[in-house]
Amino acid sequence: MQTHSTEAFNQRNPSFDNRLRPTRFDDFVGQQKIRDRLLLAVEAARQRKEALDHVLLSGPPGLGKTTLAFIIGEAMGVQVKTTSGPVIDKPGDLAGLLTSLSPGDIVFIDEIHRMQRTVEEYLYSAMEDFRLDIMIDSGPSARTVQISLPHYTLIGATTRAGLLTAPLRARFGVTNRLDYYTTDILFRILQRSARILKVEVDDEGAMEIARRSRGTPRIANRLLRRCRDFAQAEPRLGRYKGTITREVADYGLKALEVDEHGLDEMDKRILLCIIEKYAGGPVGVNNLAVAVGEEPGTIEEVYEPYLIQEGFVKRTPRGREATLLAYEHFNMRRPDTGNQIRMPL
């Protein structure tokens, strides 16, 4: 568990991701509707001099859930205490976290869907009635101790909102789902990141990176840093004098095995596994995970959403299937149209 404001967080953790993390709503690019709704809720709470309602942020990883939590804390002028669902494995951990709060403080729980169910039940009264009912001892001497809590805000982040129980989900007053970013929005994010990192990048270079970033700012910033390495240190790119142009970006992204659709090595391994080993599917996620050497949860949370959104994979009641677009991407034919070999269409 950590306590900090956004500025202090960035100062104590001077990683690239934290340097690039916006600290104000004005600096947060994209997710306009969610940004406006949160800004309105924050302003209303400030005018009433109350704690903000509990907030649930869901969506794929890397879209800005953690960033928004710290922006809310900065806008409310309160401390943010951070933890994650798997870390809180017993009621005492939750009690220690909540009893250390001051009025209006924010508790940010990442991956809240992975919290233990026994701990989650204690959270119900803590969110709704701002009290904790702790059981002391056991057997005939067992008794309940009620602990009053200051009015605080719980911000939960999850990549799998469907795994949240209905009672927990119902206790959030503000719920928002973050979606993948458009290329134009990622282009603006990359321009801001380049200024902070003091990287020379032209518009075509930034657009090329944005186009292959899977709609995710975290990936866009990572690819920007890697392309910067190629621009500065690759002798064959010396004529560009450290500037990330379209040619430099294309060279670096190809070296990183990121193709024109933003598919990386694992994406292509998943698609080829479905096509070559399972005749295009259907295949269950557990079999697929063993075949590609990845965790089922990682496939479902990290890789599969983008592949489905881009139309390379479809999820059916029987399992995952490769679409016609996936075959075309690898210049392959469907099994029912001829031999499944790589060949021009």
Side-chain angles (χ1 to χ4, degrees):
M1 182 185 67
Q2 298 177 351
T3 305
H4 41 61
S5 66
T6 312
E7 294 293 347
F9 181 85
N10 292 344
Q11 292 172 3
R12 297 173 190 171
N13 302 271
S15 69
F16 283 118
D17 284 338
N18 294 327
R19 286 172 55 189
L20 302 179
R21 192 187 299 274
T23 59
R24 303 179 304 162
F25 280 110
D26 290 342
D27 297 329
F28 190 88
V29 181
Q31 311 290 346
Q32 188 66 37
K33 292 182 180 179
I34 294 175
R35 175 186 170 277
D36 291 345
R37 287 197 293 263
L38 290 174
L39 185 58
L40 181 66
V42 167
E43 183 59 30
R46 286 175 60 91
Q47 290 181 11
R48 294 192 302 266
K49 297 182 180 179
E50 296 176 354
L52 182 68
D53 277 350
H54 304 303
V55 179
L56 177 65
L57 301 172
S58 63
L63 300 187
K65 298 184 292 294
T66 302
T67 297
L68 280 172
F70 286 109
I71 289 176
I72 292 171
E74 194 74 19
M76 291 292 295
V78 298
Q79 292 291 311
V80 180
K81 295 193 173 185
T82 67
T83 186
S84 63
V87 171
I88 309 175
D89 60 356
K90 54 183 181 294
D93 297 334
L94 181 64
L97 173 64
L98 298 180
T99 54
S100 64
L101 298 174
S102 299
D105 278 355
I106 291 175
V107 176
F108 174 63
I109 303 180
D110 198 11
E111 297 299 312
I112 193 171
H113 65 273
R114 297 175 61 189
M115 184 182 296
Q116 297 286 340
R117 291 290 178 260
T118 53
V119 178
E120 181 183 307
E121 291 172 359
Y122 283 91
L123 197 56
Y124 298 159
S125 60
M127 293 176 66
E128 195 165 24
D129 303 320
F130 298 99
R131 73 167 192 268
L132 276 175
D133 298 320
I134 303 296
M135 184 68 69
I136 304 297
D137 293 331
S138 59
S141 60
R143 64 188 188 279
T144 300
V145 175
Q146 194 172 95
I147 302 174
S148 297
L149 301 173
H151 283 227
Y152 69 97
T153 298
L154 173 67
I155 300 180
T158 176
T159 54
R160 305 182 69 182
L163 295 184
L164 291 176
T165 62
L168 178 60
R169 191 164 51 242
R171 284 169 169 79
F172 286 98
V174 181
T175 59
N176 290 291
R177 175 175 174 80
L178 281 69
D179 293 318
Y180 288 109
Y181 291 64
T182 64
T183 300
D184 291 339
I185 295 297
L186 288 176
F187 173 76
R188 292 168 55 192
I189 292 173
L190 286 168
Q191 286 183 316
R192 175 183 177 273
S193 299
R195 288 194 299 269
I196 294 173
L197 297 177
K198 296 183 171 68
V199 177
E200 292 292 332
V201 56
D202 64 18
D203 288 350
E204 290 185 351
M207 184 58 73
E208 186 66 19
I209 296 174
R211 196 169 60 83
R212 303 197 197 184
S213 296
R214 304 166 62 95
T216 306
R218 181 182 295 163
I219 294 176
N221 287 328
R222 174 172 59 82
L223 295 179
L224 174 67
R225 298 196 298 270
R226 299 291 70 78
C227 287
R228 176 188 60 175
D229 295 341
F230 283 98
Q232 292 178 345
E234 174 56 62
R236 281 173 281 188
L237 301 175
R239 65 182 181 276
Y240 297 104
K241 299 180 180 179
T243 299
I244 300 177
T245 63
R246 185 181 185 281
E247 293 77 13
V248 172
D250 183 63
Y251 181 96
L253 293 171
K254 284 182 177 178
L256 295 169
E257 298 189 29
V258 177
D259 67 16
E260 64 276 7
H261 290 282
L263 304 183
D264 60 18
E265 182 182 5
M266 181 54 72
D267 293 313
K268 288 177 274 193
R269 186 186 301 177
I270 291 171
L271 291 177
L272 287 174
C273 179
I274 297 175
I275 292 172
E276 296 178 338
K277 293 185 178 180
Y278 297 100
V283 56
V285 67
N286 290 325
N287 285 338
L288 183 59
V290 173
V292 300
E294 187 56 87
E295 290 294 325
T298 303
I299 291 178
E300 289 184 313
E301 296 174 19
V302 179
Y303 298 104
E304 193 175 73
Y306 182 75
L307 293 175
I308 292 175
Q309 177 172 298
E310 293 300 303
F312 292 102
V313 172
K314 63 180 179 180
R315 187 185 296 176
T316 71
R318 297 175 58 198
R320 280 69 177 167
E321 294 183 10
T323 65
L324 178 60
L325 182 62
Y327 284 90
E328 292 175 347
H329 184 72
F330 296 107
N331 292 325
M332 301 173 73
R333 290 180 177 174
R334 286 182 182 271
D336 57 353
T337 61
N339 293 330
Q340 189 175 311
I341 59 174
R342 300 192 184 191
M343 57 184 300
L345 294 176

